[in-house]
Amino acid sequence: MKISIQKIKAKSPLPLEEDVDVSELEELNNDIRKIPPVHVKGEATTQGNQITFDLTISGTMILPCARTLADVEYPFTIKAVEMFSTSPYHKEGEDEIHEVHGEVLDLTPYIKENILLEVPLQVFADDVEEKTVDEGQGWNLVDENSKQEPKIDPRLAKLNQFFDDSSNQKD
């Protein structure tokens, strides 16, 4: 999302509305599996050498469920305020105000940063029972209420017959 500084200074407040492709976030080392283009709406205002963007970023990201690792759609809406300075005398220590280099301002890195800050630590799928795995290789899920008959290992089946025969001979 690139905007000319001249355009912002000529028409303030400048309304903004655009869909921004942030699919590069899928390749980073985070939990985002898929993220379609996000909708960015807001306005840019100027006051002296300072440009302020008041943005609303909305979209949906696909994250893994914390229990089952199944895909979970996580809708989000972020309110963000980004400030920029066109002054050559901008102080380096001011972290809240970004310095502008050149005549075109690219908001995409700041949009990506706000999305990364919004990623939750854990999400859970609503329909957990449908997505849970009941058995796997060498294990299965057992309820407290269900009674399981002991399964005999096929390698020991011959020994079981030996014990049955010896108990019949004693009677």
Side-chain angles (χ1 to χ4, degrees):
M1 183 170 194
K2 295 182 180 182
I3 303 167
S4 168
I5 294 180
Q6 284 300 105
K7 186 176 181 182
I8 296 169
K9 287 183 177 181
K11 185 180 178 189
S12 180
L14 177 68
L16 306 168
E17 188 165 1
E18 188 176 329
D19 288 336
V20 180
D21 180 29
V22 291
S23 60
E24 293 174 5
L25 294 176
E26 298 169 10
E27 298 167 8
L28 297 177
N29 189 12
N30 58 34
D31 284 342
I32 299 175
R33 291 184 176 171
K34 185 165 175 60
I35 185 163
V38 295
H39 186 74
V40 179
K41 185 176 183 177
E43 67 178 16
T45 56
T46 59
Q47 185 175 16
N49 288 333
Q50 188 171 335
I51 303 169
T52 304
F53 289 91
D54 189 14
L55 304 172
T56 302
I57 306 163
S58 57
T60 304
M61 60 180 94
I62 307 295
L63 302 170
C65 175
R67 288 188 199 118
T68 62
L69 297 179
D71 288 348
V72 177
E73 284 190 11
Y74 181 77
F76 62 90
T77 300
I78 305 166
K79 301 276 187 193
V81 176
E82 296 290 340
M83 293 187 284
F84 297 87
S85 175
T86 58
S87 172
Y89 305 110
H90 171 71
K91 294 178 184 175
E92 289 293 324
E94 295 180 4
D95 292 334
E96 297 294 319
I97 301 175
H98 310 288
E99 191 174 346
V100 176
H101 301 284
E103 289 296 317
V104 177
L105 184 60
D106 187 11
L107 287 176
T108 307
Y110 304 102
I111 293 169
K112 290 178 187 178
E113 179 181 348
N114 280 297
I115 292 171
L116 285 175
L117 291 173
E118 187 68 20
V119 175
L121 293 175
Q122 294 180 337
V123 292
F124 298 102
D126 291 334
D127 50 351
V128 175
E129 291 183 20
E130 291 179 13
K131 295 184 179 184
T132 57
V133 180
D134 291 338
E135 62 183 73
Q137 185 176 358
W139 68 274
N140 60 350
L141 184 66
V142 178
D143 274 350
E144 292 178 4
N145 299 334
S146 66
K147 291 188 177 183
Q148 295 246 343
E149 293 190 22
K151 293 183 180 179
I152 300 172
D153 190 348
R155 298 172 291 181
L156 303 175
K158 294 238 179 203
L159 286 176
N160 192 24
Q161 291 173 357
F162 172 74
F163 289 116
D164 287 342
D165 290 341
S166 63
S167 63
N168 290 341
Q169 291 175 359
K170 290 180 183 178
D171 289 338

